[in-house]
Amino acid sequence: MSAHGRDKGRWGNRFGFILAATGSAVGLGNIWRFPYLVGKNGGAVFLLVYLLIVFFVGLPILLAELSVGRAARKAPVAIFRALRAHPAWSAIGWLGTITGGFLILSYYNVIGGWTIRYVIASMGSLMDAASTAAGSAAFFGAFVGNSGHVVFYQILFMGIVMLIVSGGIEKGIERACKVMMPLLFGILLLLILRSATLPNVWAGFEFYLKPDWSRLSDPGLYLDALGQAFYSLSLGLGIMLTYGSYIGKDERIPSAGVWTAGLDTLVAFLAGLAIVPAVFVMGFKPDAGPSLTFITLPAVFARTPAGMYVSFAFFLFLFFAAVTSAISLFEVAVAFAVERFGLRRPAAIGLMGLIVLLLGGYSALSLSGQPKIEFFGKSKDFLDAMDYLGNDILLPSGAFLLSIFVGWVWLPQALGELTNGGTLAFVWEKAWIWSIRFIAPLAIALIFINSLLW
Ligand code: PHE
């Protein structure tokens, strides 16, 4: 067996794979973006549309990525050569590797570092500082403005990611997800319980979920749901291609995909239940992004009985979500270096880790008052620019090309993978074919055009 062959890992079992894929999917997007989108787009109405989109657009692409990955058993860049596809298709692998393994990860680990800081601060000065909203904003500002601190926590976070990935597929990634994901679910349930027992909380639940059917006529709702579905399922970045390459030949890809998509959606919905009603009842606005998570929520916790513990639990939950997503991004970069440069895993981990940290260092420092850069006609700081380039431009491009490749070039082979060579019944085969050929590429083209114009 070659050195590469020995380096190629596998998931220990189906449950391990599902937890690892769910670990990748459940991330910051579920916690700070999804709840906000529900509130913004008419409550339960958005939930319904989102569910339909996850199952008719997101899931089909997820299955396609897993199938391509398993068939080739390679990292994304080499996949298309292994499948004897035209070399131009390798662009999908390059796009995914650069976007996921480098661009997105470079800022994801900065935010991951923030979560560690907040886990620790929850037990220290955070609750005092956050007793007013302005105090909470000042605490956050002082922290991100201190480059030394931010970089320290970024390195700590990335060090944890590198440590986990160096354990390999089964003993590293899978084992970490088997511990962290059940803990994440447990903490989430406790947080919901806490928020459901706050006074007047029903008004908050109503705010979160009350359907506003008139929103159905707003095209923005569908675009939000589509974009969120891709991001949340970690599609288009080579991640599910890479994770697919570690699935055993006898596993059932369709059911593993349904579990992953289902659990990811469930966590997003429950995170909303834990967060939005409490924010609403305390008189704050459930805005999206870092400000909700790192400024509004600490102020909410500071007014909640046992707030210190709630805050600690919440940021630990966020930390687990961020780590299990970051390891999936990092694994793409590592698998690439192993295959492309023939490095052994430890060397690949060291080298790629260093590159990611250097790139991320720039994002980290961009928060302490660097000049903004002009980016596609918009003025952004470096962290936002990476986020925009990664999520709004490169991610949909990769997913679009992949759906065309699988739908129009590689369909019979994909069906072979999904049915394990015809030995498994694949009940929604027709719906899947329709989606991967027509619905998915069209939907992605729409999101893409929208994000360029917007
Ligand atoms: N799926 C993750 C989330 O919802 C985000 C993510 C995207 C993570 C891509 C890794 C890779 O937050």
Side-chain angles (χ1 to χ4, degrees):
M1 205 189 262
S2 72
H4 305 172
R6 249 184 288 131
D7 277 330
K8 190 84 196 162
R10 276 220 184 181
W11 305 112
N13 60 31
R14 190 173 114 90
F15 180 60
F17 163 71
I18 292 172
L19 282 187
T22 307
S24 170
V26 170
L28 301 172
N30 299 57
I31 298 161
W32 77 33
R33 211 153 156 252
F34 183 83
Y36 161 77
L37 290 177
V38 174
K40 172 183 162 210
N41 287 302
V45 173
F46 180 79
L47 217 57
L48 205 75
V49 172
Y50 181 78
L51 271 177
L52 289 175
I53 287 181
V54 162
F55 283 93
F56 287 101
V57 183
L59 180 61
I61 296 189
L62 174 61
L63 298 184
E65 285 202 23
L66 294 176
S67 309
V68 170
R70 182 173 76 172
R73 284 191 48 73
K74 292 272 185 246
V77 169
I79 277 182
F80 298 87
R81 203 170 348 117
L83 298 179
R84 298 183 207 296
H86 188 280
W89 291 109
S90 298
I92 301 176
W94 282 106
L95 265 178
T97 306
I98 293 171
T99 313
F102 297 98
L103 284 186
I104 295 189
L105 181 56
S106 75
Y107 73 83
Y108 216 85
N109 70 41
V110 176
I111 300 174
W114 298 356
T115 64
I116 302 183
R117 170 72 188 119
Y118 270 67
V119 170
I120 298 170
S122 295
M123 286 302 174
S125 56
L126 180 62
M127 287 300 98
D128 283 337
S131 58
T132 63
S136 186
F139 184 93
F140 180 69
F143 169 56
V144 297
N146 183 335
S147 315
H149 263 159
V150 173
V151 171
F152 170 79
Y153 285 105
Q154 178 206 3
I155 294 176
L156 188 61
F157 181 84
M158 196 59 204
I160 296 172
V161 169
M162 289 165 71
L163 206 68
I164 294 173
V165 172
S166 69
I169 306 310
E170 184 182 351
K171 299 221 163 64
I173 300 179
E174 179 173 335
R175 194 191 278 170
C177 291
K178 274 184 170 163
V179 175
M180 290 187 198
M181 294 311 287
L183 281 172
L184 179 146
F185 274 104
I187 297 176
L188 182 54
L189 294 181
L190 284 178
L191 289 170
I192 294 178
L193 214 68
R194 169 65 280 188
S195 129
T197 47
L198 290 174
N200 297 327
V201 75
W202 282 107
F205 285 124
E206 201 181 320
F207 171 78
Y208 180 44
L209 291 174
K210 187 170 173 220
D212 172 2
W213 297 104
S214 71
R215 304 276 313 151
L216 277 179
S217 57
D218 174 7
L221 177 145
Y222 302 92
L223 292 169
D224 275 351
L226 276 166
Q228 176 66 11
F230 280 106
Y231 185 73
S232 194
L233 292 173
S234 306
L235 299 177
L237 298 170
I239 291 176
M240 295 301 173
L241 290 173
T242 308
Y243 273 21
S245 75
Y246 306 132
I247 302 181
K249 284 287 174 208
D250 47 352
E251 294 298 351
R252 301 155 179 233
I253 292 180
S255 76
V258 172
W259 270 101
T260 303
L263 286 174
D264 178 57
T265 307
L266 184 70
V267 172
F269 171 68
L270 294 180
L273 273 189
I275 295 169
V276 179
V279 171
F280 181 82
V281 167
M282 301 285 178
F284 292 103
K285 269 176 56 173
D287 276 347
S291 72
L292 165 70
T293 312
F294 293 98
I295 299 176
T296 310
L297 283 178
V300 170
F301 299 145
R303 297 175 185 203
T304 310
M308 182 174 169
Y309 302 102
V310 183
S311 177
F312 177 81
F314 173 80
F315 286 107
L316 195 63
F317 164 71
L318 199 64
F319 168 74
F320 289 147
V323 173
T324 50
S325 293
I327 54 183
S328 72
L329 289 164
F330 190 51
E331 177 59 27
V332 174
V334 171
F336 165 77
V338 166
E339 233 168 60
R340 190 81 191 172
F341 307 124
L343 297 179
R344 312 259 336 164
R345 272 183 80 91
I349 288 168
L351 184 68
M352 294 296 117
L354 196 68
I355 296 178
V356 167
L357 274 173
L358 289 176
L359 257 179
Y362 201 80
S363 286
L365 301 182
S366 76
L367 295 164
S368 47
Q370 257 176 29
K372 298 201 183 275
I373 48 180
E374 215 24 56
F375 202 75
F376 287 83
K378 293 164 196 157
S379 150
K380 293 178 179 296
D381 61 40
F382 190 73
L383 192 152
D384 283 342
M386 289 299 99
D387 186 42
Y388 176 73
L389 179 66
N391 296 327
D392 293 357
I393 299 187
L394 299 176
L395 185 156
S397 313
F400 178 80
L401 292 175
L402 187 99
S403 63
I404 301 286
F405 173 72
V406 172
W408 297 94
V409 179
W410 199 71
L411 193 68
Q413 293 92 322
L415 284 171
E417 283 299 321
L418 290 171
T419 58
N420 288 0
T423 58
L424 272 185
F426 180 33
V427 269
W428 13 284
E429 178 173 321
K430 284 233 162 57
W432 179 77
I433 294 177
W434 253 88
S435 174
I436 203 74
R437 296 194 121 181
F438 303 105
I439 305 175
L442 205 77
I444 303 168
L446 278 178
I447 317 179
F448 192 60
I449 292 168
N450 175 64
S451 71
L452 279 186
L453 295 183
W454 192 48

